[in-house]
Amino acid sequence: MNHRPPDQAAESAPSTYTVLHDPEGLIEEQLPLDRHPYESLVKAVLTWTTQDTLTSCDYHQIALQLTGHARAVASDVRRQADRLPKGTGPRALAELVLQETDRCLTTPLCGTARCAQDRARAVRALYERLDRLEAARAMLGTCGSVPGGTRRAYLPDDPLKVSE
């Protein structure tokens, strides 16, 4: 084992990481979310009952993990919503989900199942909204209108019937 003083050890070891400054989040935007493990965690947390007993530290750690992921998904939802025209339904709904998420995530963490479940619900709502925003953007790209906007795109499986 090498027992050099810390200042000498630091000089001989090359740096293995790079610090990036990305205030606009351009790099983060290109990185895909690791969605499947978090969806599984959300599903497990939301199925907890009063008989499920974990330690307070476990509940706190799960809530902390979900909080961090919720912030990452919220960032993606915000970016997707900002790409839609103002005043459209999908963008307005995304803004509501983001406000509710901010309210949830700003409450202090506590080591309870309820706290973890609140954050799991936030992650689930964010993923649902993200999927809908991506569908709205795809529709905007193909037909020039956004669901909930001033013009309505009618799809073959649309439940709304148009009579002439």
Side-chain angles (χ1 to χ4, degrees), residues 114-131:
R114 182 177 180 155
C115 178
Q117 287 175 327
D118 286 346
R119 280 153 168 76
R121 285 185 199 94
V123 171
R124 182 179 62 186
L126 286 165
Y127 270 128
E128 288 171 356
R129 186 53 39 203
L130 184 62
D131 292 342

Side-chain angles (χ1 to χ4, degrees), residues 63-119:
L64 187 62
Q65 191 75 21
L66 289 168
T67 299
H69 193 68
R71 292 189 194 285
V73 180
S75 179
D76 279 4
V77 169
R78 198 167 282 114
R79 273 193 296 276
Q80 290 288 339
D82 288 346
R83 291 178 179 152
L84 293 174
K86 290 186 178 187
T88 59
R91 183 173 177 156
L93 289 172
E95 289 169 0
L96 286 173
V97 169
L98 288 168
Q99 288 172 0
E100 181 62 23
T101 299
D102 287 341
R103 185 201 58 76
C104 174
L105 298 181
T106 55
T107 59
L109 284 174
C110 53
T112 64
R114 182 177 180 155
C115 178
Q117 287 175 327
D118 286 346
R119 280 153 168 76

